[in-house]
Amino acid sequence: MANGGPVEHGYPHLETVRAAVTALYRRLSYDTVQAFSASVAPADVAFCDTDDLHLGAQRVAREIVRHFRLPDARLIVGFREMTHAANVELAAGPEYFVELNDRFRTHRRDIGAALAHEVTHVYLHRLDLAFPTTAENEILTDTVATYLGAGWLLLDAYREDGVSSQKLGYLTPEEFGYVLAKRSLFFGEDPSVWFTSAQAYTAYAKGLDRARQDGRQPPLTAAGWAGRRRYAHDRRHVSGVPPTAPYAFTPDPAGRLRVSFACPTCHQRIRVPVRGRVRARCALCRTVLECDT
């Protein structure tokens, strides 16, 4: 939890974020992801200063547990002095003990954001979905929370001005915006109307621009003139394609050239023949892609 200190910006964790989206689709399936088409509603997790602290925190926790379809999970929420925003004990269940930073006693509107991250930890624990390191697991947690409709609360908790700052979670504001935009493009949902933080809205707009760029990379037909020209050059000089290119050329067993690239929705690699106009369908997220190979 950044509290008054510097807030990191940009996309330093982008590759891990994309790997997390792919891992989510592989673990849940397209149909299960579709079941999360509606985000956590602002009214369901609203928390005002007149609400009882402990009863209100338990109410918000139940709403987020309900959103993640964990009917037998019971969260016991407490408060104590700590460095991090929150912590959860990932035991066998069905009860999970969540500790929130004492700061939330007076910053109650952000309790939903902290609980969204911790409930997602429980959800991933039950799915047995994890990355190798603690840092990667925290990025996975933020990504899954956001993609499945609870993480917009984490982005909305980001506030920064000339004298103070606050950010929850391990993604940068722009990375939260990127994942939220991925969700928005997939489900046709506009989360920007829920933001109470002007900085969150700005971060979402930047993330949306970055997310749209994923759908404009060659060999997709939506690629711009410069990208198409670069792709045509690389197609003629396959051995010289730089490793940073968003595509790679390989021959199939018969010696015919094929191109592979990341699905702009779930980032699974897709491989199609190099033969002009091709329509491909991602087997993981079922996105139909128009390509010019």
Side-chain angles (χ1 to χ4, degrees):
M1 176 171 66
N3 178 17
V7 174
E8 186 177 25
H9 289 277
Y11 302 91
H13 315 108
L14 192 57
E15 291 310 308
T16 306
V17 167
R18 288 169 171 168
V21 173
T22 306
L24 178 65
Y25 271 96
R26 286 177 177 163
R27 184 65 183 86
L28 289 188
S29 82
Y30 167 84
D31 290 330
T32 305
V33 172
Q34 279 284 343
F36 288 88
S37 59
S39 289
V40 171
D44 292 339
V45 291
F47 204 135
C48 66
D49 291 339
T50 58
D51 289 342
D52 180 272
L53 176 65
H54 293 279
L55 292 178
Q58 293 294 155
R59 173 183 56 81
V60 173
R62 285 194 300 271
E63 286 297 332
I64 299 175
V65 165
R66 181 195 58 77
H67 175 77
F68 279 99
R69 295 160 178 80
L70 299 170
D72 61 332
R74 297 189 297 273
L75 265 66
I76 312 301
V77 182
F79 297 82
R80 71 173 176 89
E81 290 187 11
M82 56 197 300
T83 302
H84 298 292
N87 180 65
V88 62
E89 294 183 14
L90 294 176
E95 290 187 341
Y96 298 88
F97 293 90
V98 176
E99 296 176 315
L100 299 183
N101 192 300
D102 264 340
R103 185 172 188 270
F104 291 114
R105 292 179 182 272
T106 54
H107 292 74
R108 299 183 182 186
R109 68 172 178 169
D110 297 324
I111 285 177
L115 289 173
H117 181 92
E118 301 311 317
V119 174
T120 306
H121 269 306
V122 174
Y123 183 68
L124 293 173
H125 176 67
R126 290 194 167 192
L127 284 178
D128 194 25
L129 176 58
F131 278 179
T133 70
T134 299
E136 290 173 326
N137 266 324
E138 296 294 356
I139 293 169
L140 171 67
T141 302
D142 279 343
T143 302
V144 171
T146 305
Y147 202 89
L148 295 186
W152 70 267
L153 292 161
L154 286 156
L155 179 55
D156 194 41
Y158 162 55
R159 290 179 285 278
E160 189 172 18
D161 56 35
V163 295
S164 64
S165 63
Q166 174 184 282
K167 186 188 77 69
L168 302 182
Y170 293 78
L171 300 182
T172 68
E174 293 78 16
E175 287 169 340
F176 271 120
Y178 174 83
V179 181
L180 197 55
K182 287 286 186 180
R183 171 183 170 81
S184 175
L185 294 171
F186 186 71
F187 288 112
E189 183 182 67
D190 180 13
S192 62
V193 297
W194 303 326
F195 293 138
T196 61
S197 164
Q199 292 81 14
Y201 184 91
T202 300
Y204 172 68
K206 292 179 179 178
L208 181 58
D209 286 342
R210 188 62 178 258
R212 284 173 172 161
Q213 288 179 25
D214 291 346
R216 297 170 182 157
Q217 296 290 338
L220 300 174
T221 56
W225 176 83
R228 296 298 310 150
R229 184 175 181 182
R230 183 180 70 249
Y231 177 83
H233 173 272
D234 290 343
R235 186 174 54 198
R236 293 192 300 270
H237 305 86
V238 173
S239 60
V241 177
T244 56
Y247 44 80
F249 296 97
T250 54
D252 66 13
R256 296 178 293 246
L257 199 62
R258 299 173 72 87
V259 61
S260 64
F261 59 96
C263 170
T265 299
C266 69
H267 302 287
Q268 176 173 257
R269 299 297 292 184
I270 295 174
R271 185 174 289 104
V272 296
V274 175
R275 63 182 185 200
R277 289 272 180 162
V278 175
R279 175 174 289 179
R281 186 183 189 188
C282 178
L284 196 57
C285 68
R286 304 185 186 179
T287 301
V288 176
L289 304 168
E290 299 289 343
C291 309
D292 187 356
T293 60

